[in-house]
Amino acid sequence: MTRTHFLAREIFSGIADKWTLRVVGIIGERTLRFTQLRGEVEGISHKMLTQTLRGLERDGLVDRTVYPTVPLRMEYALTDAGQALRHTVHGMCTWTRRYLEAIEESRERFDRAPQTTATPVESGPASTGR
């Protein structure tokens, strides 16, 4: 596996976790302070939001602006890469809505059909039976 494939898998794993896509979706609408964001991501802990934001910042998907006030004020906004991710996810959601009924019907047919226990035969030279 190449370095690019390894990195892509690592990035996809980070994006596909429980919180990241929710945070990206919410930040994509507007710049938010930490407490505002936490209030909008139902069920997320302070620690998990901090970890999620740090990961997004590390990957260049979120910009964090720190204002030297007492207490410190931090705001989060998506970068161009973060906005592109948000649009990609929106496209995946559109695809899901479009094909959801067909996928559900296919799953029902598959689940009702008798399943064989045979394993697929690898392609290769045809067996002569000898």
Side-chain angles (χ1 to χ4, degrees):
M1 184 183 318
T2 67
R3 182 179 183 279
T4 302
H5 287 98
F6 178 78
L7 183 57
R9 282 185 174 189
E10 181 184 323
I11 292 168
F12 292 148
S13 293
I15 291 169
D17 72 15
K18 180 176 181 177
W19 301 109
T20 300
L21 292 179
R22 291 182 194 180
V23 169
V24 166
I26 292 169
I27 295 177
E29 296 172 4
R30 64 193 186 283
T31 298
L32 291 169
R33 292 174 62 177
F34 185 92
T35 53
Q36 293 172 309
L37 184 55
R38 184 162 179 223
E40 294 207 25
V41 183
E42 188 175 323
I44 196 166
S45 69
H46 185 280
K47 178 181 177 182
M48 186 52 64
L49 180 55
T50 299
Q51 288 176 342
T52 301
L53 289 168
R54 284 183 182 163
L56 289 167
E57 187 179 6
R58 180 175 184 252
D59 288 342
L61 302 174
V62 166
D63 273 334
R64 176 175 57 122
T65 304
V66 180
Y67 297 95
T69 60
V70 177
L72 282 177
R73 186 180 74 165
M74 289 180 240
E75 292 182 342
Y76 298 88
L78 291 184
T79 63
D80 289 343
Q83 286 291 354
L85 172 62
R86 184 170 179 253
H87 292 297
T88 299
V89 170
H90 179 75
M92 292 172 65
C93 292
T94 300
W95 174 87
T96 302
R97 283 189 298 274
R98 180 175 180 185
Y99 292 102
L100 182 61
E101 190 174 315
I103 291 169
E104 287 176 327
E105 290 171 4
S106 180
R107 286 179 172 185
E108 288 173 11
R109 277 192 310 275
F110 182 88
D111 292 345
R112 283 191 311 264
Q115 301 299 313
T116 62
T117 58
T119 57
V121 177
E122 291 190 27
S123 61
S127 172
T128 59
R130 293 182 205 182

